[in-house]
Amino acid sequence: MTNLKQSGDQYLIDALISNDNQGINTIYERFSAKIERFVCANSGTSDDARDVFQEALIAIARQARKSGFTLTCPFEGYLFVVCRGKWLNELRRRKRQEVTIEGSAGFTETDEAWTLGEQTLHDEAREALFREFLEKLPASCLQILRLAWSGLSMEEVGVQLNMSYNYVRKRKSECISRLAASIQAAPAYQSLKYTL
């Protein structure tokens, strides 16, 4: 995100990244009641609102830890978009007959907030899909991939697993192909592929 103006609320993102209690308390004090009113006005409970708020903060922190992340909008609008998306997903998961979201709970929404919030939700869904299918791989694949992705060379992976370099290299390629095929065959992949 180059050439974008950083928001004055970047300190709230920095607080999430560094796990700064004072900054995180500020976020809760300023925004949790608004999110609670929003969720409760849309078929939820106070407990639902607390869960959504916490999940949104985790998603935002994860997104913020990515290289090149800059908050270019008011934090409250970004937070609202992420919470709204998470609550919509939860209502769909619960299979409510009609999923209609009312009001923005007094949050300032900007185009930048919508773009950033939707990108965060999209990235989180992609990562969840990846993790889901990664965990379904055979244990031998998981072992090879985790070692390879830990920064070890393929020679070092072979030594650790008492396997030849050529076998480990071939097996890693097969495991990655299997993972990619599983992900691409998933119904959720198609919807993620064409969003944003």
Side-chain angles (χ1 to χ4, degrees), residues 47-65:
D47 287 341
D48 292 331
R50 281 190 286 278
D51 291 344
V52 164
F53 193 80
Q54 184 66 30
E55 289 171 16
L57 292 181
I58 291 168
I60 289 170
R62 240 188 244 126
Q63 188 77 5
R65 286 186 180 97

Side-chain angles (χ1 to χ4, degrees), residues 42-187:
N42 289 286
S43 306
T45 66
S46 294
D47 287 341
D48 292 331
R50 281 190 286 278
D51 291 344
V52 164
F53 193 80
Q54 184 66 30
E55 289 171 16
L57 292 181
I58 291 168
I60 289 170
R62 240 188 244 126
Q63 188 77 5
R65 286 186 180 97
K66 292 182 179 177
S67 175
F69 179 88
T70 301
L71 182 66
T72 57
C73 61
F75 181 83
E76 71 170 350
Y78 177 36
L79 174 66
F80 171 71
V81 172
V82 175
C83 287
R84 180 185 184 280
K86 289 194 160 295
W87 184 238
L88 263 172
N89 289 340
E90 178 61 22
L91 288 174
R92 286 185 191 116
R93 188 189 67 74
R94 292 179 182 180
K95 300 192 184 338
R96 300 284 180 170
Q97 290 298 333
E98 291 182 31
V99 176
T100 347
I101 296 291
E102 296 177 18
S104 62
F107 284 94
T108 305
E109 302 167 56
T110 63
D111 289 342
E112 292 88 4
W114 279 100
T115 300
L116 193 55
E118 292 294 325
Q119 184 65 52
T120 298
L121 292 165
H122 182 264
D123 289 353
E124 186 178 53
R126 287 178 58 165
E127 290 167 14
L129 187 65
F130 174 81
R131 283 190 305 274
E132 174 188 344
F133 285 98
L134 179 66
E135 295 302 320
K136 290 180 179 179
L137 288 174
S140 61
C141 275
L142 278 175
Q143 190 176 32
I144 289 170
L145 292 178
R146 286 190 174 135
L147 287 171
W149 292 339
S150 73
L152 295 176
S153 70
M154 293 314 293
E155 292 89 0
E156 293 168 318
V157 172
V159 168
Q160 277 205 359
L161 298 177
N162 198 26
M163 297 175 184
S164 74
Y165 164 78
N166 287 333
Y167 178 77
V168 168
R169 213 173 112 227
K170 178 182 177 225
R171 188 73 174 127
K172 177 187 172 194
S173 178
E174 292 170 350
C175 293
I176 289 174
S177 293
R178 183 175 182 169
L179 176 62
S182 297
I183 291 170
Q184 290 170 357

